[in-house]
Amino acid sequence: MADALKIGIAGLGTVGSSLVRILGERANELARTCGRPITITAVSARDKSRDRGVDLSAIQWFDSAVEMANTADIDVFVELMGGAEGAADQSVRAALSRGLHVVTANKALLARCGVELAVMAEEKGALLNYEAAVAGGIPVIKALRESLTGNTVSRVYGIMNGTCNYILTRMEKEGLSFEACLKEAQHLGYAEADPTFDIEGNDTAHKLAILTTLAFGTQIAADEIYLEGISNISIEDIQAAADLGYRIKLLGVALRTDTGIEQRVHPTMVPHDSVIAQVDGVTNAVAIESDILGELLMVGPGAGGNATASAVLGDIADIAKSRPGAQRVPVLGNPASTLAPYTQAQMQSHEGGYFIRLTVLDRAGVFADVATRMADNGISLESIVQRAKGSETDSKTIILVTHATTEQSVRQAVDAIKSGTYLAGEPQVIRIERPKAF
Amino acid sequence: MADALKIGIAGLGTVGSSLVRILGERANELARTCGRPITITAVSARDKSRDRGVDLSAIQWFDSAVEMANTADIDVFVELMGGAEGAADQSVRAALSRGLHVVTANKALLARCGVELAVMAEEKGALLNYEAAVAGGIPVIKALRESLTGNTVSRVYGIMNGTCNYILTRMEKEGLSFEACLKEAQHLGYAEADPTFDIEGNDTAHKLAILTTLAFGTQIAADEIYLEGISNISIEDIQAAADLGYRIKLLGVALRTDTGIEQRVHPTMVPHDSVIAQVDGVTNAVAIESDILGELLMVGPGAGGNATASAVLGDIADIAKSRPGAQRVPVLGNPASTLAPYTQAQMQSHEGGYFIRLTVLDRAGVFADVATRMADNGISLESIVQRAKGSETDSKTIILVTHATTEQSVRQAVDAIKSGTYLAGEPQVIRIERPKAF
């Protein structure tokens, strides 16, 4: 049997502790499958005294991840600290500079400077694996980076934030408000005390930026993602969506258009009978549409210590199975030096169907005016429904679902409607996304 | 750039011709991604004169695949002929004997002698890749063989035959009979003129046998799979399933039990709100339940020239990205010499819920007798419904859904019911399978 693969783990939170435990418990099976033992020779974390439920006494301890990356006797540096800057960034660079392989779960770091890191890794002939960075245990990086080699991807999209999907699912199933479901998610540990990063879509955007570069061979452009969170989705939207045969999900979507790459994160209506519509709770799902394979959808756990540790372990095992320096998998699917500049498609040019919900005063002529504004902007309607809002109010709800049109047309039509005097609330606009095959 | 990877393709049907075309059209992109060109230097097929829509004039032609495997100047032998024996078998063995890497889409060959071939490959340090052999374009082999390394799998199951899923979907959506939908599938090219191999479950069984060995580290045992096809599923079953909140799918299921591995292929009721229940038409889906990752479901095209060619191309690209002899991915997930003997769990011990549909004469006491037979065998019921069959007959339908029980109990109860005098038709028994997480 070949020499052991020596790994150093920086960060011993939930994922890091799970990984240490699993590498200990499964040492024999892993050595058999990989053709050599995998040995933890170094670890690093902030607090040495904390009890993590795993025995670290035989492993060299570093207070500093950077020092570990610079000096430890390791083949692979496993970064599980998180954070786009600081120690995570410095230690990964230090490890790559030494020619060490790197495995990381750090989406923020990759979204910020993944191309730079890829260049470093490829110059040194090192592997940089990051399956856990997007959609937890779902092997979407491997699918895009390896399985789909030779395919031209047209669209990649998915449910990549468990917190948002949990909240939207509970709102639909229990008829509860956004605020009530958020509190519940916080109570269950599915949402942070400050949930902004999840519910406003930033977390999804980091993951989407990584998928975009893998799918389209362009530079990473996390800052050029159109972003809308779920905090203004109401129970009325969810019920109206259900009535019309749709469900609302927070999707990250990237697609190639004639004018550039469209990257967006927003609440999205998906047809009720599509497979992705059925993905509930904290579960994640990612779909990839490509020209040779067709459509591929993967569903699984997007977070959690074990699921994330499983993805990290798969990345480590891939390194263990190859002889040192023998693999040439480009970090971002294509060699980092060949990535094309990112050209952003304008959001105004986005084409698709739209759901529009208007709260209007109960007056003659309103319905006709709304329909006219749509027609004026060349928008044809799949359906238009008017409903009373209940006896105690004199307002009504008008719900429109459009056929494919442009963002610009919809914004102009809505602005025209807002210039009238009959609106009794802010219009709600939700984009519709249709899976191609299922 | 490194030397070209030289491949020989045996078999130029739909998949082979697609592959030749794609390798030509995408040569530059593939060379960039893989770090070296991929060049077809040899091909083999039965009829040299047939027009396949691709230019083969610059490629060495072999009338015999075995001769090509034995003598051509190639690094990778790509077997796309099919068939468990004969030329496919002989040529793959010849290629592996020479230490060539092999890529194949041949499920029948692997189900019959995959372990032997794996031993040969591993002795020579050659790779044997076969992503296309199971569920077409869905990267389930890669997920089990690579991503899930270190996980203990508890169950793997899926919709792996597009013909059956198409027929069952059409029966449900259109209310048509099995025979009518089969004819339609044949007309559309989704079913063979002799559809036996698909509709009786043999095709699914071959795929399941391969997944079982990957999931559980046991020898391949394709002959020890419990098999029931879909030809006796009636529109009544499908409608009753829908009323009770289920859909009927032909599933291949393998799971680890206390007494051995359970492998079975049969029509199965899955809960209507599960994700896999939503997988319609010719689309395939495979679910894997494991202890660290949790549940993973992959959905995509299970057949077709392009989807299959995409999987074959991914396998070739994996070889192109690694230096010769540098990869140690065990062919069947675990080194072939360490695979455990296969121990078959007895079907009688199978545990799960059951759907039972009885056509009975409209007599007093029948309903009570049926309920008593169930109770006598320790079967508790989730629901029991009695329905008139329409005014022109004096028979009724009784539909039972059981809580978890054993195959033996159900067979004994049904035998007891058959020993009565009130049955007006053969009882229908369909097993229920419940996804764990979604």
Side-chain angles (χ1 to χ4, degrees):
Chain A
M1 191 171 283
D3 288 346
L5 183 77
K6 289 173 282 187
I7 71 169
I9 301 173
L12 292 173
T14 319
V15 179
S17 302
S18 289
L19 183 64
V20 172
R21 183 178 49 73
I22 292 161
L23 284 168
E25 287 172 3
R26 310 265 157 114
N28 291 339
E29 295 92 321
L30 286 167
R32 191 183 61 206
T33 305
C34 298
R36 56 170 153 165
I38 298 171
T39 312
I40 307 173
T41 54
V43 290
S44 156
R46 253 173 292 190
D47 179 4
K48 189 172 180 181
S49 63
R50 208 180 114 204
D51 180 13
R52 297 174 171 88
V54 287
D55 180 13
L56 301 170
S57 57
I59 303 171
Q60 193 181 4
W61 178 276
F62 287 86
D63 288 321
S64 153
V66 179
E67 197 195 329
M68 185 174 91
N70 274 320
T71 65
D73 177 25
I74 53 177
D75 305 306
V76 184
F77 180 77
V78 181
E79 188 277 302
L80 301 173
M81 293 175 285
E85 300 178 335
D89 179 56
Q90 290 159 31
S91 61
V92 166
R93 285 172 196 267
L96 291 174
S97 299
R98 271 178 78 193
L100 299 180
H101 302 301
V102 169
V103 173
T104 178
N106 193 330
K107 54 190 178 291
L109 177 66
L110 291 165
R112 191 176 70 79
C113 57
V115 177
E116 259 183 89
L117 300 177
V119 168
M120 289 178 73
E122 288 167 16
E123 278 175 5
K124 294 283 184 179
L127 293 171
L128 171 51
N129 289 348
Y130 51 93
E131 187 61 83
V134 180
I138 301 175
V140 62
I141 304 299
K142 198 175 257 290
L144 278 167
R145 207 163 74 151
E146 301 174 25
S147 302
L148 284 158
T149 300
N151 276 266
T152 299
V153 175
S154 49
R155 179 170 59 158
V156 55
Y157 62 96
I159 298 167
M160 291 180 273
N161 183 275
T163 308
C164 289
N165 207 49
Y166 177 83
I167 291 171
L168 292 170
T169 302
R170 291 293 292 174
M171 286 175 74
E172 182 185 350
K173 307 252 174 197
E174 306 299 325
L176 297 171
S177 70
F178 169 78
E179 290 74 19
C181 294
L182 172 58
K183 271 197 193 127
E184 190 188 69
Q186 285 170 322
H187 181 71
L188 291 166
Y190 294 155
E192 308 280 342
D194 177 0
T196 316
F197 197 73
D198 289 316
I199 63 172
E200 296 306 337
N202 308 80
D203 172 74
T204 302
H206 281 163
K207 295 165 182 167
L208 182 66
I210 297 168
L211 296 186
T212 300
T213 193
L214 284 163
F216 305 116
T218 52
Q219 304 271 338
I220 297 173
D223 294 337
E224 309 202 26
I225 298 178
Y226 176 83
L227 214 60
E228 265 179 48
I230 62 165
S231 54
N232 81 334
I233 296 296
S234 70
I235 191 72
E236 266 191 285
D237 295 321
I238 288 178
Q239 284 165 350
D243 288 349
L244 295 161
Y246 295 91
R247 275 185 170 153
I248 300 177
K249 302 287 180 189
L250 183 78
L251 293 191
V253 185
L255 70 157
R256 197 193 293 274
T257 76
D258 293 342
T259 59
I261 306 291
E262 200 174 290
Q263 285 188 103
R264 46 194 165 81
V265 174
H266 52 68
T268 311
M269 312 246 296
V270 290
H272 187 278
D273 60 358
S274 64
V275 179
I276 200 170
Q278 223 63 28
V279 175
D280 285 339
V282 294
T283 300
N284 279 203
V286 182
I288 307 163
E289 288 169 5
S290 60
D291 62 344
I292 313 175
L293 173 52
E295 187 170 343
L296 178 68
L297 175 73
M298 296 192 278
V299 186
N306 275 347
T308 309
S310 177
V312 172
L313 183 57
D315 279 350
I316 295 171
D318 277 351
I319 296 169
K321 287 172 189 168
S322 69
R323 296 220 176 98
Q327 272 279 22
R328 284 182 282 228
V329 178
V331 173
L332 297 171
N334 292 284
S337 59
T338 71
L339 292 172
Y342 177 82
T343 308
Q344 186 183 19
Q346 292 308 305
M347 198 59 202
Q348 295 283 7
S349 319
H350 165 69
E351 288 181 34
Y354 286 77
F355 162 97
I356 303 166
R357 180 173 59 81
L358 305 169
T359 308
V360 300
L361 299 177
D362 190 6
R363 281 197 214 148
V366 167
F367 195 81
D369 189 78
V370 167
T372 304
R373 299 304 187 183
M374 292 291 144
D376 286 349
N377 286 285
I379 300 170
S380 77
L381 299 174
E382 185 181 301
S383 64
I384 176 165
V385 182
Q386 179 173 303
R387 283 193 197 140
K389 280 211 80 171
S391 54
E392 76 283 6
T393 135
D394 71 340
S395 68
K396 289 198 169 186
T397 299
I398 298 179
I399 289 160
L400 306 107
V401 174
T402 79
H403 286 300
T405 178
T406 65
E407 180 88 8
Q408 186 170 31
S409 303
V410 169
R411 289 192 188 174
Q412 284 171 358
V414 170
D415 283 346
I417 288 167
K418 282 165 98 169
S419 73
T421 55
Y422 50 79
L423 278 187
E426 188 62 19
Q428 175 71 290
V429 177
I430 302 176
R431 294 170 198 85
I432 297 171
E433 199 76 26
R434 295 186 189 281
K436 206 166 174 186
F438 47 78
Chain B
M1 191 170 282
D3 287 347
L5 183 78
K6 289 174 280 186
I7 70 168
I9 301 173
L12 293 172
T14 318
V15 179
S17 301
S18 288
L19 183 64
V20 171
R21 183 179 48 74
I22 292 163
L23 284 169
E25 289 171 1
R26 309 266 156 114
N28 292 339
E29 295 92 319
L30 287 166
R32 192 183 58 204
T33 305
C34 299
R36 55 171 154 165
I38 298 171
T39 312
I40 307 173
T41 55
V43 290
S44 157
R46 253 173 293 190
D47 180 3
K48 190 173 178 179
S49 64
R50 209 181 114 205
D51 180 12
R52 297 176 171 88
V54 286
D55 180 12
L56 301 169
S57 57
I59 302 171
Q60 193 181 5
W61 178 276
F62 288 86
D63 287 322
S64 154
V66 179
E67 197 194 329
M68 184 175 91
N70 274 321
T71 65
D73 177 25
I74 53 176
D75 305 306
V76 184
F77 179 78
V78 181
E79 187 278 301
L80 301 173
M81 294 176 284
E85 299 177 336
D89 179 55
Q90 289 160 32
S91 60
V92 166
R93 285 171 197 268
L96 291 175
S97 300
R98 269 180 79 193
L100 299 180
H101 302 301
V102 169
V103 172
T104 178
N106 192 330
K107 55 190 178 288
L109 177 65
L110 291 166
R112 191 177 69 79
C113 57
V115 178
E116 258 183 272
L117 300 177
V119 168
M120 290 178 74
E122 288 167 15
E123 278 175 6
K124 294 282 184 178
L127 293 171
L128 171 51
N129 289 348
Y130 50 94
E131 188 60 83
V134 179
I138 301 175
V140 61
I141 304 299
K142 199 175 256 292
L144 278 167
R145 207 162 75 150
E146 301 174 25
S147 302
L148 284 157
T149 300
N151 276 266
T152 300
V153 175
S154 50
R155 178 168 62 156
V156 55
Y157 62 96
I159 298 168
M160 291 180 275
N161 183 275
T163 308
C164 289
N165 206 49
Y166 177 83
I167 291 171
L168 292 171
T169 302
R170 292 292 292 173
M171 287 175 73
E172 182 185 350
K173 307 250 175 199
E174 307 298 326
L176 298 170
S177 71
F178 170 80
E179 290 74 18
C181 294
L182 171 59
K183 268 195 194 132
E184 190 188 71
Q186 286 170 322
H187 181 71
L188 291 167
Y190 295 155
E192 308 279 342
D194 176 0
T196 316
F197 196 74
D198 288 316
I199 65 172
E200 295 307 336
N202 308 80
D203 172 73
T204 302
H206 280 163
K207 294 166 181 167
L208 183 65
I210 296 168
L211 295 186
T212 300
T213 191
L214 283 164
F216 305 117
T218 53
Q219 303 272 341
I220 297 174
D223 295 338
E224 309 202 28
I225 297 179
Y226 176 85
L227 213 60
E228 264 179 48
I230 63 163
S231 54
N232 81 334
I233 296 295
S234 69
I235 190 71
E236 267 191 286
D237 295 321
I238 286 177
Q239 283 164 352
D243 289 349
L244 294 161
Y246 294 91
R247 276 186 169 151
I248 299 178
K249 302 287 179 190
L250 183 78
L251 293 191
V253 185
L255 69 158
R256 196 193 292 275
T257 75
D258 293 343
T259 60
I261 306 291
E262 201 173 289
Q263 284 188 106
R264 46 196 166 78
V265 174
H266 52 67
T268 311
M269 310 244 298
V270 290
H272 187 277
D273 59 359
S274 62
V275 179
I276 200 170
Q278 221 63 26
V279 175
D280 285 337
V282 294
T283 301
N284 278 205
V286 182
I288 308 164
E289 289 169 4
S290 59
D291 61 344
I292 312 177
L293 174 52
E295 188 168 341
L296 179 68
L297 175 73
M298 295 191 281
V299 186
N306 274 346
T308 309
S310 177
V312 171
L313 182 57
D315 280 350
I316 295 171
D318 277 351
I319 296 170
K321 287 172 190 167
S322 70
R323 298 222 172 97
Q327 271 281 22
R328 285 183 281 228
V329 179
V331 173
L332 297 170
N334 293 283
S337 60
T338 70
L339 293 172
Y342 178 82
T343 308
Q344 187 182 18
Q346 292 308 305
M347 198 58 201
Q348 295 284 8
S349 319
H350 165 69
E351 287 180 34
Y354 286 77
F355 162 97
I356 303 165
R357 181 173 59 81
L358 304 170
T359 308
V360 299
L361 299 177
D362 190 6
R363 279 198 213 147
V366 167
F367 196 81
D369 189 78
V370 167
T372 305
R373 300 304 189 185
M374 292 292 144
D376 287 350
N377 285 284
I379 299 169
S380 76
L381 299 174
E382 182 180 303
S383 64
I384 175 164
V385 182
Q386 179 173 303
R387 285 195 197 138
K389 280 212 80 171
S391 53
E392 77 282 8
T393 138
D394 71 340
S395 67
K396 289 198 169 185
T397 299
I398 298 179
I399 289 160
L400 307 107
V401 173
T402 79
H403 286 299
T405 177
T406 66
E407 181 87 9
Q408 186 170 31
S409 303
V410 169
R411 289 192 188 175
Q412 284 172 357
V414 170
D415 282 347
I417 289 167
K418 283 166 101 168
S419 73
T421 56
Y422 51 79
L423 276 186
E426 187 63 20
Q428 175 70 291
V429 176
I430 302 176
R431 293 169 198 85
I432 298 170
E433 199 78 24
R434 294 185 190 281
K436 207 167 174 184
F438 46 78

